[in-house]
């Protein structure tokens, strides 16, 4: 009881409130259009918060323990929304979508009754290790792009 009052125990309602708050803050027009570009153009910067949410989802998948590859799907709607707002995010959206799709294909195939499409040992090194390396590189590029496009001066 004491731990729950201290905020150390979370239940499904807390997770639902967190998700609802995250989505309303990320997708809210008031939140995304009040930021101005640092480059002095004065234009709206609505792509930043969806891009940030996608980056946080990818970071969660990469750094949290016991998180499976199918959780990368959480990043897809956010980075896609960022790509809708600003075409510079399109390549990142395609890259993360391809990584997520290949991960699912490598580990789950086309389904439970279908034969394995790609043998993971075909390259001599497990293909999932190579895909993980591509994911790390993509995350580095994503981090750099997000840091240089931040609407917050600093």
């Amino acid at each position: 009881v004491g731990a729950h009052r201290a905020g150390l125990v979370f239940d499904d309602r807390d997770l639902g409130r967190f998700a609802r708050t995250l989505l309303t803050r990320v997708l809210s027009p008031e939140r995304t259009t009040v930021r101005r570009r640092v480059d002095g153009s004065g234009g709206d910067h609505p792509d930043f918060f969806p891009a940030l949410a996608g980056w946080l989802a990818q970071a969660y998948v990469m750094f949290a323990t016991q998180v499976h590859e199918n959780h990368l799907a959480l990043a897809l709607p956010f980075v896609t929304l960022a790509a809708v707002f600003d075409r510079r995010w399109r390549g990142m959206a395609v890259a993360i979508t391809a990584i997520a799709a290949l991960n699912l294909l490598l580990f789950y195939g086309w389904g439970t009754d279908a034969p394995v499409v790609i043998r993971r040992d075909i390259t001599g090194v497990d293909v999932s290790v190579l895909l993980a390396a591509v994911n790390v590189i993509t995350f580095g590029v994503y981090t750099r792009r997000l840091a240089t496009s931040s609407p917050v001066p600093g």
Side-chain angles (χ1 to χ4, degrees), residues 50-51 53-58 61 69-84 89-90 92-102 104 135 142:
W55 181 85
L56 289 170
Q58 188 180 17
V61 170
E69 53 282 337
N70 59 338
H71 290 94
L72 188 56
L74 176 63
L76 299 180
F78 295 114
V79 73
T80 302
L81 186 61
V84 167
W89 290 106
R90 287 182 186 168
M92 192 58 58
V94 169
I96 292 174
T97 301
I99 290 168
L102 284 173
L104 290 174
N135 194 22
Y142 197 165

Side-chain angles (χ1 to χ4, degrees), residues 11-143:
D11 60 13
D12 291 340
R13 291 185 311 258
D14 295 324
L15 184 60
R17 281 192 295 267
F18 171 75
R20 189 172 45 252
T21 302
L22 176 66
L23 288 174
T24 56
R25 293 197 183 258
V26 167
L27 300 177
S28 168
E30 297 84 26
R31 284 286 197 195
T32 57
T33 57
V34 295
R35 303 286 190 207
R36 299 293 176 192
R37 290 192 187 276
V38 179
D39 62 9
S41 66
D44 290 335
H45 207 12
D47 59 310
F48 179 73
F49 288 108
L52 178 62
W55 181 85
L56 289 170
Q58 188 180 17
Y60 166 73
V61 170
M62 287 184 57
F63 297 116
T65 57
Q66 297 183 355
V67 173
H68 299 285
E69 53 282 337
N70 59 338
H71 290 94
L72 188 56
L74 176 63
L76 299 180
F78 295 114
V79 73
T80 302
L81 186 61
V84 167
F85 285 130
D86 190 339
R87 61 189 298 189
R88 294 177 294 174
W89 290 106
R90 287 182 186 168
M92 192 58 58
V94 169
I96 292 174
T97 301
I99 290 168
L102 284 173
N103 258 324
L104 290 174
L105 184 62
L106 284 174
F107 286 95
Y108 302 109
W110 294 114
T112 56
D113 296 333
V116 175
V117 177
I118 300 173
R119 287 188 26 230
R120 288 179 30 197
D121 62 348
I122 197 166
T123 62
V125 176
D126 193 328
V127 175
S128 65
V129 173
L130 299 176
L131 191 57
V134 170
N135 194 22
V136 169
I137 292 168
T138 303
F139 183 73
V141 171
Y142 197 165
T143 302

